[in-house]
Amino acid sequence: MPDFSDTLVDRLAGADAVAVLTGAGISAESGIPTFRDPDGLWEKFDPQELANVEAFLDNPELVQGWYRHRRQLVEEAEPNAGHRALAELEAHVSELSVITQNVDDLHNRAGSGTVIELHGNITRNYCMDCDRPAEPETVDAAIQDGRPARCPECDGLIRPDVVWFGEMLPPDAVERADAATSRADVFLSVGTSAVVYPAAQFPVEARAGGAYVAEINPDTTGITDEVDESIRAPAGEALPALRDAVSARTTG
Ligand code: BJW
Ligand code: ZN
């Protein structure tokens, strides 16, 4: 049984608004590798080599192929008990916003009502030159033929709809995440190393605004010293237990 405080359960049960920042760790139990853990995605590929626009322009086929591989992994994956528990927690609090760094679509597929995607969504692609959306099949066919995927309309390179280092986050997502953070009475940071900005600033800002902040992560993170409570357990165990505890408090 994961260890969390009565204070956290009380604060969640009484909250007007809850915000949850999620990272790759919440999808680890769906079989999707994290970025920075041993065996994470970047153990095999250098992040600076693949997740920035210069690298993409240097070797579009390599980067398109890596994202295609990851898109297929994500499409075959299923939301896990952690994603589902977060979606179910909505029934027990007035407002719950999921602010995710993940590009894997699993919160949407688990049924969460408000999902703010800070770093895009790997299931979508678009043309770098004309911005038109591109079908995944266009990418698949090109990679199979051993050539970079290009836009059928203007011949521009097709890229995944994700946010690379040095790129701006979608302004509407940042605005919504800011608003959800300022409203939150309780803020959970789940399955993120909390080292990538601006995402890592949201829990810290929430606490500065008076929210009770808890992290759920088997390991320490970049914000461990700045949270009220650390739950050292996998998300797939801690979130269902937390949902059950809040449900018991609110229904009976
Ligand atoms: C479990 C678990 C289980 C395992 N249960 N937990 C301020 C200060 C310093 C630098 C900057 C700054 N502001 C901006 C920057 C630069 C940069 C940045 O943050 N750099 C830092 C690395 C220092 N940020 C940016 O460039 C951002 N853009 C920006 O700020 O624009 C304005 C600007 C423009 C130009 C100049 C300056 C500013 C963009 C960031 C984009 C990040 N993109 C990526 C790739 C997305 C596409 C893709 O998927 O390929 O997003 S990087 C990668 O890291 C990915 C993730 O979303 C992100 C966060 O990683 P996450 O989710 O935390 O994963 P991990 O692997 O790190 O951690 C997993 C955790 O799970 C671990 O803690 C485990 O313990 C845990 N875990 N099993 C629970 N079962
Ligand atoms: Zn185009």
Side-chain angles (χ1 to χ4, degrees), residues 24 29 35-36 67 70 101 119 163 166-167 192-193 197 217 235:
E29 292 157 85
F35 290 92
R36 294 173 185 81
Y67 278 97
R70 289 178 49 206
Q101 299 167 85
H119 294 164
V163 180
E167 293 185 323
T192 176
S193 56
Y197 287 84
N217 197 310

Side-chain angles (χ1 to χ4, degrees), residues 8 185-189 203-204 206-208 211-215 223 226-230:
L8 176 59
D185 306 311
V186 181
F187 194 107
L188 304 177
S189 178
V204 177
R207 191 156 184 247
Y212 189 84
V213 179
E215 68 174 4
I223 57 163
E226 302 180 68
V227 301
D228 293 296
E229 176 166 350
S230 292

Side-chain angles (χ1 to χ4, degrees), residues 22-29 34-37 41-42 48 51 66-67 70 100-103 119 122 162-169 190-198 216-221 233-236:
T22 66
I26 196 171
S27 296
E29 292 157 85
T34 62
F35 290 92
R36 294 173 185 81
D37 290 329
L41 284 173
W42 291 356
Q48 306 309 331
W66 186 56
Y67 278 97
R70 289 178 49 206
T100 190
Q101 299 167 85
N102 298 344
V103 296
H119 294 164
I122 202 170
V162 300
V163 180
W164 285 325
F165 283 120
E167 293 185 323
M168 302 296 291
L169 277 63
V190 183
T192 176
S193 56
V195 295
V196 172
Y197 287 84
I216 298 177
N217 197 310
D219 285 322
T220 56
T221 74

Side-chain angles (χ1 to χ4, degrees), residues 9 16 19 23 101 103 115 120 143-145 177 211:
V9 178
D16 286 330
Q101 299 167 85
V103 296
V115 181
I143 299 297
Q144 269 155 5
D145 290 354

Side-chain angles (χ1 to χ4, degrees), residues 148-165:
R150 291 189 172 276
C151 175
E153 303 292 332
C154 79
D155 209 37
L157 283 168
I158 292 173
R159 61 164 288 177
D161 191 357
V162 300
V163 180
W164 285 325
F165 283 120

